[in-house]
Amino acid sequence: MGDGCVRIAQLGVGTIGRELIRRTLGSPRFHYVALGDTSGVIAKEGAFTEEELRGIVESKEAGGRLEDYDGSHSFFEDMGGAFESCGLDAFVDVTDAQTYDLLMEALERAHVVTSNKLPFADVPYSDYLKLVEAGYEGRILDFGTTAGAGLRIPDLVSKLGAGGIDRLTGCLSGTMNYVSQRLNEGRPLSRAVAEAMEPPRSYTEPDPRVDLGGEDFARKLVILSRLCGRGVERAMVDVEELIPECLKGLPVEGFMESLPDIDPCIRERMRVANSGGNLCWYLGTADLIEERYTVGFEEIPMTDPISRARESDNVLKLFPSGWRRPVTVIGPGAGSPETVTGLMSGLNSVLSAVG
Ligand SMILES: NC(=O)c1ccc[n+]([C@@H]2O[C@H](COP(=O)([O-])OP(=O)(O)OC[C@H]3O[C@@H](n4cnc5c(N)ncnc54)[C@H](OP(=O)(O)O)[C@@H]3O)[C@@H](O)[C@H]2O)c1
């Protein structure tokens, strides 16, 4: 735009998307020209007013669909259509959908800021490279919030990765960090998961199997390892799922009722680790020298900085090549305010680029 403003098209008006809109309200620097959800995309060339944005956020919060939003705007079946009709400086993807093709298309016209892991982790490494290379061609491709949310762990890994990183290990799932702490205090798995689900914590996804399955965690490990230049594919990550096959098809309530069945097995793992003077933590580890990638329980010494991660913190130890000691990052690695702070950092970079 070149007048100190960023015109934004945003796909996703969920928890993070709504909070991001709220955070930009009142700023003369950020203007929304298009918003999309699973029902379609509404667009306004001259940008939505603050009042309109408040109305859209309220209606989405109440479970509304953009398709049904009443106002003066154009409607498109998908974001591609909106790209054709309105000028934009930044495309923000805050969905949990596979948006790889859309990001490639967006980068031809705008900078991209996203917290969505799928386009970076759930595609072959060769496609990932095409995406990040498209980002090098004069466009910002900001995916710093895809691991550790506002901690922007990918940024740190990219920077330290310049000199090589030998190993990464840590807990990149807030739920599994909370569960690991409680297990080492002697709580049964079923109780630890129930506590993580209950308000005011509400750390888990509505279905805690998403967290216990390790899939989202594995995606973060893939992204960080790829940033270290390793051609890792998701299938190369050995994931220890904490969901027995027989509990996979149950509704959430049934799953929670049956979860105590696996308490004894997990309790024994803890007992063995603790009696050897160790803790047992659910970790992701990328051995970048041996190219071995795992997500699951690992024993760590009681004094390991990983055990200092509290509640739903994320924690990561990085071992830069040739450094005397590892670098440890610990802090809140999920949540709306944290993630939106990280996304605003991306939008501010766009502002600097277009201003
Ligand atoms: N929540 C966190 O703490 C956190 C932290 C770091 C990263 N993230 C990542 O940030 C992203 C957003 O998270 P969230 O918590 O805001 O999720 P959410 O509340 O489930 O919202 C997802 C939004 O994306 C839209 N959407 C999904 N698939 C779509 C598609 N195919 N086309 C168009 N719109 C689509 C949904 O539309 P409808 O409204 O129509 O359903 C919804 O508005 C996710 O990728 C998540 O992994 C979240």
Side-chain angles (χ1 to χ4, degrees):
M1 208 174 189
D3 57 0
C5 297
V6 177
R7 293 165 302 173
I8 302 170
Q10 176 174 310
L11 196 63
V13 195
T15 312
I16 301 299
R18 292 193 298 270
E19 183 64 22
L20 183 61
I21 295 170
R22 280 195 205 96
R23 196 76 76 90
T24 60
L25 286 176
S27 164
R29 303 279 191 215
F30 301 107
H31 298 292
Y32 276 91
V33 292
L35 284 165
D37 67 4
T38 52
S39 71
V41 177
I42 55 175
K44 196 161 178 182
E45 204 165 333
F48 289 100
T49 64
E50 204 175 308
E51 203 186 329
E52 285 170 323
L53 289 170
R54 283 186 203 283
I56 293 167
V57 166
E58 267 173 37
S59 134
K60 283 298 297 174
E61 206 131 49
R65 294 153 56 83
L66 290 177
E67 181 182 47
D68 303 325
Y69 177 71
D70 196 14
S72 61
H73 55 258
S74 316
F75 180 80
F76 299 92
E77 294 292 325
D78 56 38
M79 194 50 92
F83 284 168
E84 295 293 335
S85 89
C86 54
L88 70 151
D89 304 296
F91 174 59
V92 174
D93 171 13
V94 275
T95 69
D96 51 359
Q98 182 47 272
T99 51
Y100 179 87
D101 292 340
L102 191 59
L103 295 199
M104 289 296 279
E105 192 184 340
L107 282 166
E108 285 173 21
R109 337 169 163 256
H111 304 288
V112 168
V113 178
T114 181
S115 58
N116 181 5
K117 291 169 274 293
L118 270 63
F120 302 91
D122 281 22
V123 296
Y125 182 61
S126 53
D127 286 348
Y128 161 86
L129 283 181
K130 282 184 208 149
L131 182 58
V132 292
E133 274 158 21
Y136 289 137
E137 288 163 12
R139 298 285 188 208
I140 291 166
L141 171 60
D142 183 301
F143 55 107
T145 51
T146 53
L151 299 177
R152 297 187 56 100
I153 289 174
D155 291 358
L156 182 67
V157 169
S158 306
K159 292 208 165 80
L160 294 182
I165 294 183
D166 296 341
R167 190 162 165 261
L168 302 166
T169 186
C171 191
L172 298 169
S173 156
T175 297
M176 294 316 295
N177 189 60
Y178 179 81
V179 167
S180 298
Q181 286 166 79
R182 300 288 89 93
L183 290 176
N184 283 286
E185 289 166 7
R187 256 330 179 278
L189 175 73
S190 55
R191 186 67 219 131
V193 174
E195 282 176 17
M197 280 178 85
E198 284 159 11
R201 288 196 182 86
S202 309
Y203 295 151
T204 68
E205 294 293 328
D207 184 341
R209 280 169 290 194
V210 173
D211 304 293
L212 295 169
E215 190 57 37
D216 190 61
F217 197 149
R219 285 190 182 115
K220 293 175 190 173
L221 198 67
V222 167
I223 292 174
L224 299 184
S225 304
R226 286 180 170 183
L227 280 167
C228 293
R230 299 301 185 280
V232 56
E233 303 292 350
R234 165 60 191 87
M236 290 161 67
V237 185
D238 189 3
V239 178
E240 178 184 353
E241 280 187 287
L242 296 184
I243 319 167
E245 212 48 48
C246 57
L247 303 189
K248 282 192 177 161
L250 296 176
V252 175
E253 298 72 35
F255 168 72
M256 288 305 291
E257 276 164 24
S258 304
L259 196 54
D261 294 352
I262 60 167
D263 283 346
C265 155
I266 303 294
R267 185 177 289 128
E268 180 57 14
R269 300 268 299 268
M270 295 297 139
R271 194 196 61 74
V272 170
N274 296 166
S275 64
N278 287 331
L279 298 170
C280 192
W281 222 267
Y282 196 82
L283 299 178
T285 297
D287 181 333
L288 299 161
I289 307 278
E290 299 290 329
E291 303 213 28
R292 268 203 324 262
Y293 307 95
T294 55
V295 171
F297 280 120
E298 281 185 49
E299 292 196 19
I300 53 168
M302 300 250 178
T303 51
D304 196 299
I306 286 174
S307 69
R308 283 189 225 128
R310 291 285 162 256
E311 293 289 315
S312 62
D313 279 354
N314 278 193
V315 50
L316 187 69
K317 277 202 310 187
L318 300 95
F319 295 77
S321 311
W323 285 33
R324 274 167 292 177
R325 291 195 297 127
V327 176
T328 307
V329 199
I330 301 181
S336 309
E338 294 84 352
T339 310
V340 168
T341 296
L343 290 166
M344 285 305 301
S345 156
L347 283 177
N348 283 331
S349 303
V350 174
L351 183 61
S352 304
V354 303

